[in-house]
Amino acid sequence: MEPLIKVKKPVRTKSGVTPLTVVLAPRKCNHGTCIYCPGGEFVPQSYTNKSPAVMRALALNFDVKKQAESRLNSLIKMGHPTEKIELIIIGGTFLQYPLDYQYGYVKGCYDVLNGVESETLLEAQKTNETAKHRIVAMCIENRPDNCSVEEIKRMREFGATRVEIGVQILDDEIYKKIGRGHTIKDVIEASKRLKDAGFKMGYHIMPGLPYSNIEKDIEKFRMVFNDESFRPDQLKIYPCQIVEDSPLAKAYKKINYRTYTDEEIKKVLTNMMEIIPDYCRVMRVMREIPKEKMIGNAGLTSIRKEVEDELKKNNTFVREIRMREIGFNRNGLKLDTKLKIIEYDSSGGKEFFLEIVNSENVLFGLLRLRFPKEVIFPELKNCAIVRELHVYGQSLNLHEKGKDSQHTGLGKYLMGEAEKITRESRYKKLAVISGIGVREYYRKLGYKLEGTYMIKNI
Ligand code: SF4
């Protein structure tokens, strides 16, 4: 399928939906500050005043409605489709902000995309189900120790479908020394609860932290996938950097710390890329922090590309999702697609990873089906749960007809397969963690809204 309209920076929408990022007002995290983390006082925690999204938010005084409006207008101007939006909330730990701020913040985003102000969040969501700009997915950055059942329930009330948690390295000693304020146990519990609630979940991983080394980084990373207590759906890999205004900028000399060289980063990344299984997507490698804000080696932003090129040159088979997506593999695309299913244990439950791939393993669409470990909310009793349905390719608007993946019925086919697997199990129902803006789609497939999930008797 070729893009139907000419877009600037098409890579932004190659994965099927158009991201719209809003930034939180500055606020320090409750536990203190992790050693590598800048910001918090005048700039949102973990960002600098030179990050593009933060600069835009600063100019608008962090007013969420103004941010959402201005981003939406720029996306339209740049020619991106804006009918299917993924709302991404960044900066600090959202779940720790005052409750009225959290609810008001999310409602503000729905109101802007709806083009009308609603009385309540629920009303705004109802309006968004059929609005011109629908929120089809919502991502919140969070800490592993802010994922209690009550907090997860709140994220569902907001309409969130994806949560990214800071994991960095699975090592309690290092957590203590760098001031993370949580333990591996928190990561295990957060992973289980989030998956059982149907969230798509990502880990942030940080090689090169103080008190670690290359061997330890790789060993601990292996654990992320070898141990079924972890196994995230996606990763962001941010090698540790010394950023101005972070505690590390003050302490690095005293603790005799230095950042990895580019060669060391490449070595760690190459090893990590070889470990990552088919069901995981590497969302990003290296943070976008301007060089002038950093002390020591800043790390090349092109490192990912260099590592991937090197792996390809050596015929190393990289299985992670992003490298296999159709949007990035357009030349001479073979359409001999088939369904592939990978089953694996994950956080006490069972996962089925359904993929539509061609003979070269290029990915056209995927579905994540889970048999949960525990029933986390009453409406999920007797339910298997679809945590993600994603058809890849250039993002299209809702009325546009696609040629080879989006809007060609692959989504419906994958849902049918998930229903088949569920029917053969002890589960009587299938639930979907649907973004508010996708509810209509599931209604057409016979699903009904129960609590915040779309559910069908199987
Ligand atoms: S939890 Fe995240 S945002 Fe908060 S201090 Fe640590 S790294 Fe920064």
Side-chain angles (χ1 to χ4, degrees), residues 97-116:
Y97 282 66
L99 280 182
D100 53 351
Y101 178 88
Q102 293 177 38
Y103 281 94
Y105 197 88
V106 174
K107 178 179 170 290
C109 295
Y110 283 108
D111 281 345
V112 167
L113 293 170
N114 291 341
V116 288

Side-chain angles (χ1 to χ4, degrees), residues 257-274:
Y257 172 76
R258 70 159 179 87
T259 47
Y260 283 165
T261 62
D262 287 345
E263 279 317 304
E264 286 168 324
I265 295 176
K266 271 192 210 163
K267 184 171 175 198
V268 177
L269 282 180
T270 305
N271 277 276
M272 287 182 169
M273 291 301 269
E274 286 173 354

Side-chain angles (χ1 to χ4, degrees), residues 28-38 45-46 91-93 96 142-143 166 168 179-180:
K28 288 259 179 211
C29 283
N30 290 352
H31 76 291
T33 305
C34 306
I35 196 167
Y36 51 83
C37 184
Q45 190 93 64
S46 94
T93 305
Q96 292 180 356
N142 202 358
R143 285 175 51 85
Q168 323 308 0
R180 278 293 296 168

